[in-house]
Amino acid sequence: MIKKFLFLLFSIVLLAALPDMVMAAERPIQFYVKNEKVNEVKPIVKDGITYVPAQEMFELLGYKTSFDAKNLEISTVINGSELILWAGDDIVEFNDRIYYLDDPIPIINGQVYLYLRLVGYLAEYSIDYDRENSTIKMKPYGYGEDAAVKKLLTQYLETPRPALLTSDNPERGLL
């Protein structure tokens, strides 16, 4: 009797949640870079990871890219450092370092795709993903917050308090 009741309860909950899950899967992702909506780059979610077409994404961020179709190699320069990646490989070379990825870089619909979080890390962008509204927002580090952060740090450091009177803070030790 209890098993039938639990099965019935589970079935009702599953049926009630099914339309929401289907609608969430069908809803397109709204993508913003520097608070401007982007229609040129279409992010996709595959196995819980957000991917973007690498070449289009780097060009959208203002970096010139080149693509070698023979070797499936994409190269660009980000903030003065060279980035090289190969489709089907799990290695990215950037700033004289080698980054090992969990999975090989995929080719989806004839384009080389890259993890959006990796693009954000390499290009120094923060990424906010709102799953409920299916929205992704990318902002460069410090975008619009530099003055506020500087004000808070200055206010904190110029206010004398015992926590700042430590041996590793010689300027405050004189107070």
Side-chain angles (χ1 to χ4, degrees):
M1 181 69 173
I2 294 177
K3 289 182 183 180
K4 288 181 183 179
F5 175 73
L6 290 175
F7 178 75
L8 182 63
L9 182 64
F10 177 72
S11 300
I12 291 171
V13 169
L14 183 63
L15 288 174
L18 191 60
D20 290 336
M21 290 189 294
V22 170
M23 287 187 66
E26 294 176 358
R27 193 176 338 161
I29 298 172
Q30 305 297 316
F31 188 46
Y32 295 87
V33 176
K34 297 182 185 176
N35 294 328
E36 293 182 20
K37 187 170 181 176
V38 174
N39 294 319
E40 300 87 29
V41 176
K42 302 285 185 201
I44 61 170
V45 177
K46 182 180 173 188
D47 298 329
I49 300 172
T50 306
Y51 292 92
V52 290
Q55 190 170 2
E56 291 178 9
M57 188 67 211
F58 289 127
E59 289 177 359
L60 174 73
L61 296 176
Y63 307 115
K64 292 190 178 216
T65 61
S66 63
F67 178 67
D68 179 7
K70 181 180 176 185
N71 297 325
L72 297 175
E73 174 184 292
I74 293 179
S75 61
T76 186
V77 176
I78 299 175
N79 301 328
S81 300
E82 185 178 21
L83 169 75
I84 302 173
L85 58 96
W86 298 268
D89 205 352
D90 61 349
I91 295 174
V92 173
E93 291 182 12
F94 179 66
N95 198 15
D96 297 327
R97 290 185 179 177
I98 296 176
Y99 295 89
Y100 295 95
L101 307 176
D102 293 333
D103 297 313
I105 298 170
I107 297 177
I108 303 171
N109 300 328
Q111 289 185 309
V112 178
Y113 274 70
L114 198 58
Y115 310 138
L116 181 61
R117 296 240 180 240
L118 180 62
V119 172
Y121 171 75
L122 297 174
E124 298 181 353
Y125 276 73
S126 63
I127 298 171
D128 295 321
Y129 178 52
D130 183 2
R131 185 172 296 187
E132 284 184 22
N133 297 325
S134 189
T135 304
I136 299 173
K137 294 182 181 180
M138 285 184 68
K139 292 191 292 186
Y141 292 161
Y143 183 70
E145 293 110 12
D146 294 343
V149 170
K150 183 178 179 181
K151 179 182 174 186
L152 286 172
L153 282 173
T154 305
Q155 181 181 0
Y156 175 78
L157 292 173
E158 289 181 353
T159 304
R161 58 177 53 98
L164 296 176
L165 300 175
T166 62
S167 62
D168 61 343
N169 190 352
E171 292 179 7
R172 297 291 162 203
L174 299 176
L175 293 175

